[in-house]
């Protein structure tokens, strides 16, 4: 019997509920997660709406929510848990990423090392 492959990315209950809420207002499409070069620490997390996943994107289903991961970002995101945080001053998605080695003071950019093949 084959065991289930671990998910590349997981969602907290709060993040799953927020994604469901956001996507309920859209007729179709997906929420796509990736990374891009930028900011003082080198990289930034990116979330965007797409009509359809790219051919090489990774589709992840967790807690009844399907998201897609940008293929070029996959090695930077493996093992990440996405959360949705609400405080008196803001609400935002946060990323608990084991591959993240540093972050800038403002919290907008991070340093991430890709997962190394075994």
């Amino acid at each position: 019997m084959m065991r289930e492959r671990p998910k590349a990315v997981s969602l907290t209950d709060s993040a799953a509920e927020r994604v469901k809420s956001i996507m309920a207002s859209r007729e179709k499409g997906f929420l796509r997660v990736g990374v891009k070069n930028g900011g003082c620490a080198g990289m930034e997390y990116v979330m965007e709406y797409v009509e359809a996943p790219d051919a090489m994107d990774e589709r992840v289903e967790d807690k009844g929510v399907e998201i897609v991961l940008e293929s070029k970002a996959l090695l930077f995101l493996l093992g990440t848990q996405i959360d949705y945080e609400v405080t008196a001053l803001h609400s935002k998605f946060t990323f608990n990423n084991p591959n993240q080695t540093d972050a800038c003071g403002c919290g907008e950019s991070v340093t991430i090392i890709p997962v190394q093949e075994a």
Side-chain angles (χ1 to χ4, degrees):
M1 175 188 286
M2 291 182 65
R3 68 183 177 104
E4 185 177 331
R5 184 175 103 176
K7 292 177 176 56
V9 169
S10 63
L11 302 167
T12 64
D13 291 340
S14 177
E17 290 306 313
R18 182 63 181 141
V19 172
K20 286 178 189 176
S21 173
I22 290 169
M23 297 310 289
S25 66
R26 302 184 61 82
E27 289 187 24
K28 61 181 178 177
F30 295 86
L31 181 63
R32 188 174 194 226
V33 179
V35 295
K36 69 176 185 175
N37 291 334
C40 54
M43 301 189 94
E44 298 174 353
Y45 295 106
V46 178
M47 298 179 88
E48 64 184 343
Y49 299 111
V50 294
E51 292 297 315
D54 287 347
M56 298 301 291
D57 283 350
E58 178 87 9
R59 292 172 81 147
V60 175
E61 191 277 324
D62 191 30
K63 296 180 176 59
V65 174
E66 185 175 27
I67 60 173
V68 294
L69 304 177
E70 186 179 345
S71 60
K72 69 179 184 175
L74 191 54
L75 289 178
F76 293 100
L77 295 172
L78 282 174
T80 297
Q81 182 182 59
I82 301 172
D83 193 11
Y84 186 70
E85 178 182 288
V86 178
T87 70
L89 298 176
H90 71 264
S91 57
K92 65 180 180 177
F93 285 99
T94 59
F95 296 81
N96 181 10
N97 185 341
N99 309 304
Q100 182 177 315
T101 60
D102 198 12
C104 68
C106 68
E108 293 298 318
S109 67
V110 293
T111 303
I112 309 170
I113 56 170
V115 172
Q116 302 296 314
E117 290 188 43

